[in-house]
């Protein structure tokens, strides 16, 4: 089974024919019931990251419950569509990007399932190369770029976004971490697909980023963005062949994965 975790403005994915599954986990309930439908040859589970009515802010999303619930349902490969700000004028609003790196600037978010046992996962390349290739190979998609993940819920100051841009980062987001590393700990393939909604505060003069404008831009692009996610799912092979994301090969875990 494949999975899709929808970001801001991406609260539904299937029609009324999809089935709904409610799960509990050792980390509480996920953001919402999971809906399961079909895309091409794949059974696909969809979970809105922020809840069906955007109940969860970036720093309160139950990331561990979300990833655990998807794994328990049978998901092994996940696309994570998300809204991002751009740190370069080259990527204007409406651009769709498949990042290849992330930088974590969050704080105090539970970001592991392994509080004991000395388990350390490889995270040098945080996204699954196989899933990335499926999405990045689609027409009009920008392949690559570093996404810096900030704590939120506030947006960056001008000085912060100029600092990020000066480091060579291209995108800024609030939810890409710890979602990606939790998927890796559960040995699930994961790749982000980013929709640019704005130029960040330090890249463009004016009033700075406003939430109302971000949501409006996302809404303007939601139809082609969902179409892109559908096409990415259809481009994924039926059989999982990736070994890059099998983080615990040869390691004895303190508990069994769901």
């Amino acid at each position: 089974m494949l999975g899709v975790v929808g970001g801001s403005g991406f609260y539904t994915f299937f029609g009324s024919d999809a089935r709904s599954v409610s799960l509990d986990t050792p980390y509480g309930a996920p953001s919402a019931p999971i809906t399961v439908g079909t895309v091409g040859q794949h059974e696909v589970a969809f979970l809105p990251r922020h809840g069906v009515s955007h109940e969860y802010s970036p720093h309160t999303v139950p990331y561990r419950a979300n990833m655990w619930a998807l794994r328990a349902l049978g998901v092994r490969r996940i696309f994570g569509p998300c809204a991002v700000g751009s740190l370069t004028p080259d990527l204007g609003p409406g651009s769709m990007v498949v990042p290849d790196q992330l930088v974590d600037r969050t704080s105090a978010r539970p970001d592991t399932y392994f509080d004991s046992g000395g388990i350390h996962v490889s995270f040098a390349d945080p996204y699954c190369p196989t899933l990335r290739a499926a999405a990045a190979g689609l027409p009009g998609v920008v392949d690559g770029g570093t996404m810096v993940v900030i704590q939120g819920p506030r947006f960056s100051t001008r000085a912060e976004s100029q600092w990020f841009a000066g480091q060579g980062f291209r995108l800024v987001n609030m939810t890409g971490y710890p979602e990606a590393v939790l998927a890796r700990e559960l040995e699930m393939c994961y790749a982000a697909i980013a929709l640019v909604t704005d130029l960040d505060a330090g890249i463009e003069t004016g009033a700075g980023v406003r939430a109302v404008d971000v949501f409006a831009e996302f809404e303007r692009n939601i139809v082609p963005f969902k179409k892109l996610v559908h096409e990415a799912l259809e481009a994924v092979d039926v059989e999982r062949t990736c070994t890059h994301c099998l983080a615990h090969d040869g390691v004895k875990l303190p508990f069994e994965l769901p």
Side-chain angles (χ1 to χ4, degrees):
M1 187 183 294
L2 303 185
V4 174
V5 182
S8 297
F10 199 142
Y11 308 123
T12 61
F13 195 55
F14 299 115
S16 57
D17 56 336
R19 62 185 175 95
S20 179
V21 180
S22 295
L23 294 175
D24 199 8
T25 80
Y27 307 94
S31 298
I34 299 169
T35 53
V36 180
T38 303
V39 175
Q41 302 181 69
H42 300 289
E43 190 174 31
V44 178
F46 173 76
L47 176 63
R49 182 181 295 116
H50 296 280
V52 294
S53 301
H54 209 109
E55 303 97 305
Y56 296 98
S57 290
H59 64 299
T60 64
V61 170
Y63 295 102
R64 289 194 296 181
N66 287 351
M67 294 296 103
W68 189 277
L70 289 169
R71 166 91 190 191
L73 192 60
V75 171
R76 295 296 182 269
R77 294 174 288 178
I78 298 173
F79 283 116
C82 57
V84 300
S86 172
L87 294 167
T88 170
D90 296 340
L91 297 174
S95 299
M96 299 183 194
V97 187
V98 179
D100 61 349
Q101 278 293 326
L102 70 79
V103 172
D104 172 32
R105 292 289 299 168
T106 66
S107 60
R109 295 185 182 185
D111 62 354
T112 183
Y113 296 104
F114 300 105
D115 291 324
S116 64
I119 306 302
H120 308 277
V121 299
S122 175
F123 205 53
D125 296 297
Y127 302 115
C128 171
T130 305
L131 289 186
R132 281 198 70 258
L138 296 173
V141 175
V142 177
D143 181 5
T146 296
M147 181 170 73
V148 56
V149 185
I150 62 174
Q151 175 69 1
R154 70 167 179 87
F155 294 112
S156 301
T157 66
R158 295 189 196 282
E160 286 169 337
S161 62
Q162 289 167 358
W163 175 37
F164 297 151
Q167 299 303 307
F169 310 154
R170 304 191 77 194
L171 307 169
V172 58
N173 164 265
M174 297 181 186
T175 58
Y177 189 90
E179 193 169 277
V181 73
L182 293 172
R184 181 66 54 85
E185 286 196 341
L186 293 179
E187 294 194 326
M188 295 189 293
C189 295
Y190 179 94
I193 305 177
L195 171 64
V196 174
T197 57
D198 59 274
L199 292 178
D200 210 46
I203 312 304
E204 180 179 52
T205 60
V209 182
R210 300 191 311 158
V212 63
D213 299 327
V214 169
F215 283 110
E217 184 64 29
F218 201 96
E219 183 63 27
R220 278 192 289 272
N221 289 281
I222 189 62
V223 171
F225 194 41
K226 284 186 176 180
K227 181 175 182 290
L228 171 65
V229 176
H230 268 273
E231 292 172 348
L233 290 165
E234 291 175 345
V236 175
D237 290 339
V238 174
E239 295 296 327
R240 182 189 187 191
T241 58
C242 172
T243 58
H244 174 84
C245 302
L246 300 180
H248 307 304
D249 188 28
V251 176
K252 181 175 176 56
L253 300 180
F255 57 81
E256 290 187 9
L257 301 183

